[in-house]
Each structure stands twice: as structure tokens, then as C-alpha cells.
């Protein structure tokens, strides 16, 4: 009697089909989510709050974060779609007639699910916090230097909360500005400056726009006492914003959270833990849920699947909030929702194969 193959032809077929479907669904979900978030970043870039150099970096970081967060949803939908197609094409009937049961299907599905759960754990606990921290740091740097960007030829630009107004007729490739107009307000005094040339310079006490060969008119609006002066060189200081970077809990390293006893840190670890657990439990539920009902159509149980996923996600957020408010103990926040999902999977399996079959399988596992 020959040895049984560790990975059968059915395992390879189901795993490859599941992988292709997962990549398609995952890509669509991530593109939709990231596109909506990126539109808001573009609005900030138009306002000068985000530099053009930061845009693509932020897009990549948001893609990493969204990929980790929505991997459970994509895999859940992919399993439902693949198994739903197999039920439609009577492939599951062929598997059953060959002696394959729920264990056969689970082995084929979890051939991909186990590696993905490990990948999602790495993304959730290490890669996503790094991406969040990097993005917050970049956004903070751009926020501080927002008044130093946005000067473009042929348009008026406001800086320092409207105290500085610039207009530049032409800008060379080396960032030299020609025919520069500046309105500079200092308290109740207003200065109008016209210069032939202007350049941005970093000096020891800050960043300045150094103007050359121009004139300056300063006075108080409504008064007749004005100062007119010619200059060969005049510098206007660009105020920079200095503030501390406030990182959210999402950007804190998991090792730091694990060493902290604060309840908010424990709740954040609970959220990160729910991603790999969600992959395992949602895949466990998807196998009995994918059985096509007579009136449900090809993907008749997809609606039930959506309801289960969104309920699971909302319960995770609610339990995290309850842990932070100390309404429930931390251990219940971690295991409560996941245990409920496991029970739902057991009920669906009993509905599909019968309670006697489920009790028999549980007894076999306990005896082993």
C-alpha cells in the first residue's frame, strides 16, 4: 500500500484557484479603499500641506496598511466564491462521491490559509505600525514646512497665515525667481516689495527669500507717512512651524505595546491580533457557508457572508472600546468575539452535516 501524498491534486487545484481569486478580490478592495483615502491627501497637496515628493510615498504606505487590514475580508470572499463555484459545477458532489468530506475541503483551503495567517500576523504586528509611523512622520514634516512650498509662477500664494503674499512672474530651473511681488504684513504695518530677482536660502536662523534689485514701500494703511527705499538685497524670513510629532497607537511598535501595562495599549494589541485570527476563523466559517441553497443562486450565501464579516468587524471595534473603557476584562476582549465566531462556524457545520456528525468528530479529536 503506497504512502498517501501530503498535497493531493485536489489540494493544488483548490489552493491555486483560491489564490487567483484572492489576488483579484484583494486588489479591487485595496484600490477602492486607498483611492478614497488618496483623494483626501491630494486635496491637502493642492492646499500646499503635502509636498509632491511625499504623495507617492504616502500612497505606497497606505497601500501596505490597507492590504493588511482587508486581507481577512478578501480571503473570506474568495473562499465563498471558489467553493460556491465548485457547488454550482457539481465538483463538490464529485469530491463527496470519492469519499472526501469536510476534512478534505478544509485541508485544501487551509493549505493557503495557514501561510496567509502567518503573513498577516507579520503585516499586522510589524509592517503596518512601521508604515503608520513613517506616514505620520512624513505628514508632520510636510505640515511644518507647508509655508515653504507652493510658490509657482503666475499665481498669488499666501503664507504665514496670510501675512505674506507672493507673486512670481517666472521661475527658472535652478529655482531663481524673476519679477517678484511681495506683500508683507507686520502687525498694523504693511510693506509692498518689488524685486527683479529672488532666491530661497537657508540661513542659520531660518529660511529666507532673498530679493535683489528692488524697492520697498512700508507704512500703515490709511496714513500718509510711508517709507520708500531702494535696495540691492533684501531678505524676507519664512516662518516655519515647530511642533512635536504625536504618534497614534496604530504607529507604536508591537514590542513596545507588549511591554506596556496601559489598557489602551492592550486594546491596540487586541486589534492587531484580530487580523490573523480573523483569517483563520472566517475561513473556517466560509466552508459550510458556501454551500449553495436551492433558491440562493450561485453566490446566494454571499449576502450572509457580508453580514457576518461586518458584524465581526463591528464587534471587534466595540470590544476594543469596551476594553479601553474597562467595561470588560482584557481577556474577554481578545477571546470573546473570536469564540463567538467559532461557535457560529460550529452551528453552520452542524447545519450542513448534522449534529451527530459534529459530535462524532469532536469526540474523535478529544480521544486523539
Amino acid at each position: 500500500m503506497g504512502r498517501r501524498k501530503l498535497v493531493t491534486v485536489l489540494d493544488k487545484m483548490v489552493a491555486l484557484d483560491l489564490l487567483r481569486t484572492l489576488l483579484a478580490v484583494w486588489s479591487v478592495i485595496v484600490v477602492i479603499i486607498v483611492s478614497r483615502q488618496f483623494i483626501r491627501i491630494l486635496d491637502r497637496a493642492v492646499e500646499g500641506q503635502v509636498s509632491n515628493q511625499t504623495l507617492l510615498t504616502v500612497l505606497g504606505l497606505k497601500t501596505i496598511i490597507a492590504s493588511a487590514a482587508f486581507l481577512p475580508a478578501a480571503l473570506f470572499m474568495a473562499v465563498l466564491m471558489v467553493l460556491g463555484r465548485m457547488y454550482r459545477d457539481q465538483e463538490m458532489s464529485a469530491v463527496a462521491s470519492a469519499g472526501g468530506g469536510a476534512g478534505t475541503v478544509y485541508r485544501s483551503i487551509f493549505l493557503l490559509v495557514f501561510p496567509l495567517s502567518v503573513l498577516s500576523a507579520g503585516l499586522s504586528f510589524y509592517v503596518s505600525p512601521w508604515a503608520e509611523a513613517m506616514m505620520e512622520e512624513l505628514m508632520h514634516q510636510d505640515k511644518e514646512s507647508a509655508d515653504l512650498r507652493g510658490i509657482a509662477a503666475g499665481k498669488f500664494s499666501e503664507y504665514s497665515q496670510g501675512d505674506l503674499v507672493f507673486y512670481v512672474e517666472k521661475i527658472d530651473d535652478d529655482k531663481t525667481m524673476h519679477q517678484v511681488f511681495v506683500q508683507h504684513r507686520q502687525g498694523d504695518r504693511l510693506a509692498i516689495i518689488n524685486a527683479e530677482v529672488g532666491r530661497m536660502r537657508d540661513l542659520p536662523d531660518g529660511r529666507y527669500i532673498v530679493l535683489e534689485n528692488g524697492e520697498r514701500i512700508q507704512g500703515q494703511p490709511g496714513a500718509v507717512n510711508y517709507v520708500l527705499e531702494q535696495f540691492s538685497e533684501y531678505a524676507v524670513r519664512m516662518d516655519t512651524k515647530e511642533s512635536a510629532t504625536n504618534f497614534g497607537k496604530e504607529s507604536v511598535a508591537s514590542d513596545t505595546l507588549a511591554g506596556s501595562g496601559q489598557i489602551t495599549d492592550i486594546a491596540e494589541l487586541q486589534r492587531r491580533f484580530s487580523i490573523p485570527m480573523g483569517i483563520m476563523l472566517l475561513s473556517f466559517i466560509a466552508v459550510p457557508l458556501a454551500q449553495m441553497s436551492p433558491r440562493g443562486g450561485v453566490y446566494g450565501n454571499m449576502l450572509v457572508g457580508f453580514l457576518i464579516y461586518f458584524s465581526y468587524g463591528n464587534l471587534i471595534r466595540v470590544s476594543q472600546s469596551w476594553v479601553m473603557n474597562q467595561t470588560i476584562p482584557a481577556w474577554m476582549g481578545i477571546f470573546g468575539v473570536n469564540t463567538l465566531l467559532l461557535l457560529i462556524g460550529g452551528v453552520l457545520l452542524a447545519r450542513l452535516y448534522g449534529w451527530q456528525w459534529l459530535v462524532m468528530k469532536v469526540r474523535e479529536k478529544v480521544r486523539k
Side-chain angles (χ1 to χ4, degrees):
M1 184 175 179
R3 293 180 60 185
R4 182 177 180 181
K5 291 183 178 180
L6 184 63
V7 179
T8 64
V9 175
L10 177 64
D11 295 337
K12 294 179 181 178
M13 182 193 73
V14 174
L16 288 175
D17 194 9
L18 179 58
L19 179 61
R20 288 192 292 265
T21 307
L22 170 64
L23 292 176
V25 175
W26 198 15
S27 300
V28 171
I29 294 176
V30 170
V31 167
I32 292 174
I33 299 300
V34 173
S35 297
R36 293 182 60 185
Q37 296 176 348
F38 194 60
I39 290 174
R40 292 195 289 268
I41 301 297
L42 283 176
D43 290 338
R44 298 179 64 178
V46 171
E47 296 173 357
Q49 298 180 18
V50 179
S51 65
N52 295 332
Q53 294 81 2
T54 304
L55 281 176
L56 291 180
T57 304
V58 171
L59 177 62
L61 294 173
K62 281 192 171 292
T63 301
I64 293 174
I65 296 168
S67 298
F70 291 96
L71 180 56
L75 182 60
F76 185 43
M77 294 176 62
V79 173
L80 289 176
M81 293 172 69
V82 169
L83 295 185
R85 181 194 58 78
M86 292 180 68
Y87 276 113
R88 179 198 65 186
D89 297 341
Q90 303 301 319
E91 293 179 9
M92 297 300 288
S93 299
V95 171
S97 63
T104 304
V105 178
Y106 274 119
R107 187 183 65 241
S108 302
I109 295 296
F110 275 78
L111 187 65
L112 181 64
V113 169
F114 276 126
L116 285 177
S117 63
V118 175
L119 173 64
S120 67
L123 290 172
S124 177
F125 283 96
Y126 299 102
V127 180
S128 289
W130 168 82
E132 287 278 4
M134 182 67 68
M135 187 171 61
E136 289 185 11
E137 180 65 28
L138 289 173
M139 299 292 284
H140 175 74
Q141 291 176 359
D142 278 0
K143 184 179 178 181
E144 285 191 336
S145 60
D147 279 357
L148 308 179
R149 294 189 308 272
I151 297 179
K155 75 170 188 177
F156 287 93
S157 304
E158 291 188 2
Y159 302 93
S160 300
Q161 299 180 346
D163 289 339
L164 280 174
V165 179
F166 285 89
Y167 179 86
V168 179
E169 191 171 295
K170 180 184 176 183
I171 301 179
D172 294 339
D173 293 337
D174 61 355
K175 305 300 181 183
T176 300
M177 298 173 280
H178 297 273
Q179 302 302 321
V180 183
F181 167 85
V182 181
Q183 176 184 287
H184 188 194
R185 185 182 299 276
Q186 296 174 303
D188 58 352
R189 301 187 69 82
L190 184 66
I192 303 296
I193 306 169
N194 290 284
E196 295 180 1
V197 179
R199 296 181 179 85
M200 193 80 74
R201 289 185 187 174
D202 288 314
L203 299 177
D205 59 339
R207 178 169 291 187
Y208 289 79
I209 291 184
V210 179
L211 306 172
E212 301 175 2
N213 302 326
E215 63 178 9
R216 175 173 174 266
I217 305 172
Q218 183 176 9
Q220 186 174 1
V224 295
N225 185 18
Y226 281 87
V227 176
L228 282 75
E229 57 183 0
Q230 303 286 329
F231 59 84
S232 59
E233 187 175 87
Y234 183 83
V236 178
R237 188 175 190 273
M238 303 289 291
D239 292 333
T240 57
K241 303 172 183 177
E242 296 183 359
S243 59
T245 306
N246 295 319
F247 291 107
K249 291 295 182 184
E250 296 83 0
S251 58
V252 179
S254 296
D255 296 339
T256 304
L257 295 177
S260 172
Q262 295 185 6
I263 197 66
T264 54
D265 295 338
I266 296 175
E268 175 59 23
L269 279 176
Q270 168 191 324
R271 184 193 66 81
R272 298 179 188 182
F273 178 73
S274 67
I275 293 178
M277 281 301 299
I279 285 180
M280 301 285 290
L281 293 175
L282 289 171
S283 299
F284 171 69
I285 282 183
V287 173
L289 186 63
Q291 184 187 27
M292 185 173 58
S293 60
R295 299 181 182 180
V298 179
Y299 303 121
N301 286 326
M302 287 289 290
L303 181 61
V304 180
F306 279 120
L307 180 62
I308 290 175
Y309 172 74
F310 285 115
S311 299
Y312 174 69
N314 288 329
L315 286 174
I316 287 292
R317 287 187 286 271
V318 169
S319 65
Q320 182 183 6
S321 176
W322 284 350
V323 169
M324 293 174 63
N325 296 330
Q326 299 185 356
T327 305
I328 59 175
W331 66 267
M332 184 177 292
I334 295 174
F335 297 106
V337 179
N338 294 320
T339 303
L340 177 62
L341 200 63
L342 187 63
L343 291 175
I344 292 175
V347 171
L348 291 175
L349 276 175
R351 169 180 167 270
L352 180 60
Y353 295 103
W355 287 101
Q356 291 183 348
W357 174 89
L358 183 62
V359 171
M360 181 182 65
K361 289 295 182 182
V362 172
R363 286 179 178 175
E364 289 179 359
K365 295 298 182 182
V366 171
R367 288 172 182 175
K368 289 182 181 180

